[in-house]
Amino acid sequence: MNSLSKLNTAVLTALILLAAAWWGRSALSDSDTLGEVEIHQIPGTRKTGKPAKAVLQSSGSLKLSVTEAGRPVFCRVNVVGVDGNYYEPVDNPLAPWSLSRLGNRQGKGPFRYYGWFFYCDGQCEVVVPAGATRIEVWKGFEYRPVVVKTEVAVGQPTAVDVPLKRTVDLAAEGWYSGDTHIHLDRRSEEEDQRALDLLAAEDIRFGHILCMNDTRTYRPVMDQQIWHQLNGIGKESVRRRGAYQISSGQEYRCGTFGHICLIGGSRLVDADGLKTDPNNWPPFGMVADELHGLGGFAFHAHGGYSKEIYIDFAQRATNGVELLQFAEYRGISLEGWYHILNAGYHFPAVGASDYPYCRALGDCRTYVHLSAAPTFENWNAAAAAGRSFFTTGPLLQVTVNDKRPGDTLALPDGEQELSVRVRMQSLLSPVDEIQIIVGGEIISRKQLEEAQRTDPVDWTDTLKVQDSTWVAVRAFSKSASSRDDSEAHTNPVYVSLGQRPVRNEASILWLLDKVEERIAFQRSREFPQREQVLNYFQASDDALRKLLKSTD
């Protein structure tokens, strides 16, 4: 790689990092400002503080220790002074990832209280104004947040110990959290340890750390990527510390087809080699085919941006879709995903944060159920099989006649009764409603009130079906200003009656319209591989029309 190319890549990386930081500082409309108030306003108060530094003459020091079973643990912390502002440790290796420096993408959910947090290893010293001081501690979705108040005297150290205890242990029941879309540099052992620190602080068991290309060009070499992964790709790159693991992959990006997350492969994909123009050739389905040969799985990022995803699913070329992000269902949205499922495709969804281009690390994540050892190979395969739920916080365990998401429930022909059991708890933000969804329709709903909104809920309902279908469950609520906050959705349990496939004519016709829109778009462009791309896209149209005939 020549020095000019290296310079261009370095400049682009710097600009992207600057943009990520700027999202937390740019001007907002009045409506957006109200949403940002929810992020930084202490619940139950009118205080909307800012990051600040204490004046030494009128301050004291807070010596904080956050422990679990007597040992310091990585966590996320707010220290709020008597003035309502937020204070950080002077010396903190994790300071670059505090909310005032990275993440905090304005206008994006989840819209809930975050304050102006910092990460720490469980022990830190913070200089704060003398007076009443509030300490808030979080650690992922399975710990109930803890709030401690203390008085800090001028010129005096004040020691505070905050014990944490896991409230819900989903790993004990075979459920393991993961984020399939994180951007961090992995150029050294030190950076690997920082990544593991951050995963531990947010209690993310499996972290996929992705490089990415400029959307205008692609070269299958790491020094042409943004967010360098220099410790290998896939299995070679796995590092583990205690319960937390990281592995490197890539986000392959372009403007015409969308973005796609490639995880688990043994190296960067070649695509079309050094002559690759990602906006023209090859299409994502062919990139995914190469990845599958490397042992990996391909998930359309950002809900597929409603682009080539409509082509690839029809040929079963890709493994699924990153649907829940920013606490919203992006791209194809729930509507498009439900239509794909109604056409008879097993096309799993995941939730992922896209850190740091989001509100906070792991604010959307996926819980996968494993019956084998908790390794990346097993986690990735289970995610691609849909053995999961995805969430911004609500912990959602569902069975249908004792079958979990991703399973097929085979029953005889004729009307059948299904027993749907839902266990849910949301420790970070309340849930207002749980819905049972059958074939894309809400069949049953449970409204939650008062303590039910955050305490454990165990709800069983029965329903009858007369044809093959799928069953999933959603739990959600809006924020105080009616913005996206609590969201969780399971992948389907597939119900097969008499071995008949799921075939919904209206959904297939809806999907055909989307495919034809994508074909028309490619036909309107002039580029060297136009006919090859059109042939590939036409194969999806043909596949759906064949399905449509089977509904006659």
Side-chain angles (χ1 to χ4, degrees):
M1 180 180 181
N2 62 45
S3 58
L4 181 59
S5 295
K6 289 182 179 178
L7 178 61
N8 288 340
T9 301
V11 169
L12 182 60
T13 301
L15 288 173
I16 288 174
L17 277 169
L18 183 61
W22 184 250
W23 278 322
R25 297 170 174 81
S26 55
L28 296 170
S29 68
D30 290 343
S31 175
D32 287 338
T33 298
L34 182 60
E36 295 306 305
V37 166
E38 287 189 286
I39 303 296
H40 306 300
Q41 187 176 80
I42 298 173
T45 76
R46 293 184 176 274
K47 292 182 178 179
T48 307
K50 298 179 180 179
K53 291 184 178 180
V55 177
L56 290 177
Q57 297 91 319
S58 57
S59 65
S61 67
L62 175 71
K63 293 190 174 182
L64 178 63
S65 178
V66 181
T67 59
E68 184 174 14
R71 295 184 176 182
V73 290
F74 286 94
C75 54
R76 174 172 21 121
V77 179
N78 276 325
V79 174
V80 188
V82 68
D83 57 358
N85 289 325
Y86 294 82
Y87 295 85
E88 294 189 36
V90 175
D91 184 17
N92 180 11
L94 295 176
W97 295 277
S98 65
L99 194 63
S100 63
R101 297 179 181 88
L102 210 58
N104 196 36
R105 185 171 178 178
Q106 293 182 344
K108 301 299 181 183
F111 285 94
R112 63 177 63 142
Y113 174 62
Y114 282 97
W116 289 101
F117 65 76
F118 61 87
Y119 292 112
C120 79
D121 63 3
Q123 293 185 315
C124 62
E125 183 173 358
V126 184
V127 177
V128 296
T133 303
R134 176 184 173 102
I135 302 110
E136 305 162 343
V137 181
W138 292 263
K139 188 177 174 67
F141 294 177
E142 298 176 41
Y143 290 76
R144 192 179 296 280
V146 176
V147 176
V148 174
K149 297 179 181 179
T150 190
E151 287 285 333
V152 175
V154 174
Q156 298 295 317
T158 300
V160 175
D161 181 37
V162 180
L164 289 183
K165 184 178 181 181
R166 189 180 293 273
T167 308
V168 180
D169 189 355
L170 284 190
E173 299 185 57
W175 293 95
Y176 293 85
S177 60
D179 189 338
T180 53
H181 198 158
I182 302 170
H183 296 293
L184 296 169
D185 282 317
R186 293 187 62 191
R187 298 167 298 189
S188 65
E189 175 61 26
E190 181 181 4
E191 288 186 336
D192 276 4
Q193 292 305 313
R194 292 294 81 77
L196 288 164
D197 293 346
L198 294 169
L199 260 62
E202 291 290 359
D203 196 35
I204 303 168
R205 304 274 183 154
F206 290 87
H208 288 272
I209 317 298
L210 309 182
C211 64
M212 65 185 188
N213 61 294
D214 181 346
T215 57
R216 299 165 298 179
T217 185
Y218 179 75
R219 299 293 180 271
V221 289
M222 187 55 69
D223 59 6
Q224 282 281 288
Q225 308 300 310
I226 305 159
W227 301 106
H228 290 159
Q229 308 299 301
L230 302 186
N231 294 327
I233 295 288
K235 188 174 182 179
E236 177 190 0
S237 71
V238 173
R239 301 291 185 273
R240 179 170 185 166
R241 193 177 71 199
Y244 306 103
Q245 305 180 52
I246 54 175
S247 177
S248 290
Q250 69 180 116
E251 182 181 6
Y252 183 86
R253 311 188 310 156
C254 69
T256 55
F257 301 135
H259 298 185
I260 193 164
C261 293
L262 310 178
I263 63 173
S266 57
R267 58 168 172 78
L268 295 177
V269 293
D270 284 330
D272 202 20
L274 295 177
K275 60 182 180 179
T276 302
D277 181 340
N279 287 289
N280 293 337
W281 186 263
F284 282 175
M286 293 183 177
V287 172
D289 185 59
E290 179 189 352
L291 177 72
H292 295 152
L294 300 172
F297 300 91
F299 290 86
H300 290 270
H302 320 305
Y305 284 135
S306 295
K307 294 184 177 181
E308 195 196 324
I309 186 171
Y310 285 120
I311 303 301
D312 292 327
F313 91 83
Q315 298 185 46
R316 294 181 169 85
T318 49
N319 299 102
V321 57
E322 175 189 276
L323 193 62
L324 181 62
Q325 197 165 73
F326 312 148
E328 64 185 77
Y329 298 101
R330 300 191 67 192
I332 64 171
S333 73
L334 287 179
E335 180 185 24
W337 188 48
Y338 290 173
H339 280 305
I340 290 171
L341 298 174
N342 282 345
Y345 288 85
H346 292 198
F347 196 66
V350 297
S353 67
D354 193 17
Y355 185 78
Y357 312 107
C358 61
R359 184 63 70 175
L361 173 64
D363 56 19
C364 295
R365 63 186 71 172
T366 302
Y367 276 83
V368 162
H369 191 269
L370 297 179
S371 55
T375 65
F376 265 103
E377 292 93 334
N378 291 333
W379 195 95
N380 294 347
R387 303 187 185 283
S388 62
F389 67 89
F390 37 99
T391 180
T392 69
L395 304 173
L396 189 58
Q397 299 181 74
V398 172
T399 57
V400 180
N401 289 21
D402 296 324
K403 295 290 188 180
R404 296 190 185 94
D407 289 342
T408 296
L409 174 62
L411 296 171
D413 211 350
E415 184 176 80
Q416 299 292 333
E417 185 172 273
L418 305 181
S419 176
V420 182
R421 184 186 180 192
V422 181
R423 289 185 293 155
M424 192 281 299
Q425 185 168 13
S426 185
L427 299 170
L428 300 191
S429 60
V431 167
D432 290 335
E433 184 172 316
I434 304 173
Q435 299 174 344
I436 297 175
I437 299 156
V438 179
E441 301 292 332
I442 301 168
I443 299 301
S444 183
R445 56 189 359 134
K446 183 177 180 64
Q447 302 287 340
L448 304 182
E449 297 179 357
E450 299 178 353
Q452 280 186 320
R453 300 172 74 216
T454 54
D455 286 351
V457 173
D458 196 332
W459 172 41
T460 299
D461 202 0
T462 57
L463 53 96
K464 293 182 179 181
V465 295
Q466 297 178 328
D467 205 349
S468 296
T469 188
W470 54 269
V471 181
V473 173
R474 178 188 178 194
F476 66 96
S477 68
K478 297 294 185 181
S479 72
S481 65
S482 299
R483 287 172 167 80
D484 297 320
D485 185 6
S486 294
E487 271 291 353
H489 206 300
T490 70
N491 272 293
V493 174
Y494 302 98
V495 180
S496 174
L497 301 192
Q499 298 184 327
R500 292 196 308 275
V502 175
R503 292 288 186 271
N504 182 294
E505 181 180 3
S507 287
I508 296 171
L509 288 169
W510 189 94
L511 292 164
L512 272 168
D513 283 344
K514 296 297 181 181
V515 168
E516 289 169 2
E517 286 176 10
R518 302 318 303 165
I519 291 174
F521 171 73
Q522 296 300 336
R523 188 173 285 122
S524 71
R525 301 171 58 226
E526 291 293 338
F527 59 103
Q529 301 88 359
R530 180 171 174 267
E531 291 308 311
Q532 293 166 272
V533 168
L534 286 173
N535 288 339
Y536 177 78
F537 278 39
Q538 185 60 46
S540 298
D541 189 277
D542 294 343
L544 287 175
R545 292 191 183 281
K546 184 177 180 180
L547 279 184
L548 188 62
K549 287 183 179 179
S550 71
T551 66
D552 294 341

